[in-house]
Amino acid sequence: ETGVTQSPTHLIKTRGQQVTLRCSSQSGHNTVSWYQQALGQGPQFIFQYYREEENGRGNFPPRFSGLQFPNYSSELNVNALELDDSALYLCASSLAGSRSNTEAFFGQGTRLTVV
Amino acid sequence: SQQGEEDPQALSIQEGENATMNCSYKTSINNLQWYRQNSGRGLVHLILIRSNEREKHSGRLRVTLDTSKKSSSLLITASRAADTASYFCATGPQGGGYQKVTFGTGTKLQVIP
């Protein structure tokens, strides 16, 4: 167990709908990163939040947005869902500081299917 | 786009044998990490090696890093059926800053009992 929980575990949505995925960080962590993993591929970085502000973004369109709350939990919102958005969505929490990258702890993911 | 490429894409070995996976990457890095993923579930962090390190051990795992060749290898010794999983390398960008890690495409390891 990593202490990172994601909800829901599975979700089916219709094309064009909107979805919100949630992530609770490990206690004491101030950074959350979101990844999209298509079947048979490695995770692709969506964005990262540090102390409630977006702190880096991958090559994803603006319909992918996020929030981080004062307790460092986070949401990933996707608008206007497309069939290609079907994937496993992973969040990872870590403790950012002045040093270099440190270990990230991943949740079990949310499996999103868009039909 | 993926930063790293793992090789081989798939590997099947007998229990007790050693498994070696390789990772190549393109840009300068601050560190490289290896993760394990079971059946499309969350990733489990295995080991982190910094750019100024050449080799690191953790239990049955040995990781090497060659920054001149932009490559790393993960060796699992005395493999067990429970090691069956996909293994990913992930690189952290040089200069630090935000902690984006970029994952490779993964090696699917099957350990046959």
Side-chain angles (χ1 to χ4, degrees), chain A residues 49-62:
Chain A
Y49 278 81
Y50 170 66
R51 292 187 176 179
E52 303 177 57
E53 298 215 352
E54 190 177 289
N55 184 38
R57 189 178 183 93
N59 189 26
F60 280 81

Side-chain angles (χ1 to χ4, degrees), chain A residues 35 37 55 88 96 100-101 108, chain B residues 31 37 40-41 50 98 101:
Chain A
Y35 292 82
Q37 186 178 21
N55 184 38
L88 180 69
S100 57
N101 300 41
Q108 291 298 302
Chain B
N31 63 67
Q37 184 177 41
R41 304 188 69 192
R50 301 194 187 280
Y98 68 87
V101 291

Side-chain angles (χ1 to χ4, degrees), chain B residues 1 6 20-21 23 27 30 32 47 59 71 74 89 99 113:
Chain B
S1 62
E6 281 92 340
T20 299
M21 289 160 265
C23 167
T27 60
N30 181 285
L32 187 143
I47 198 164
S71 67
L74 170 67
C89 69
Q99 296 188 13

Side-chain angles (χ1 to χ4, degrees), chain B residues 64-108:
Chain B
T64 62
L65 179 64
D66 187 336
T67 53
S68 67
K69 295 181 180 177
K70 291 186 168 59
S71 67
S72 173
S73 68
L74 170 67
L75 168 67
I76 304 174
T77 60
S79 64
R80 304 166 182 168
D83 295 329
T84 295
S86 291
Y87 292 82
F88 294 91
C89 69
T91 53
Q94 191 174 55
Y98 68 87
Q99 296 188 13
K100 170 185 173 181
V101 291
T102 306
F103 286 83
T105 52
T107 291
K108 187 170 283 190

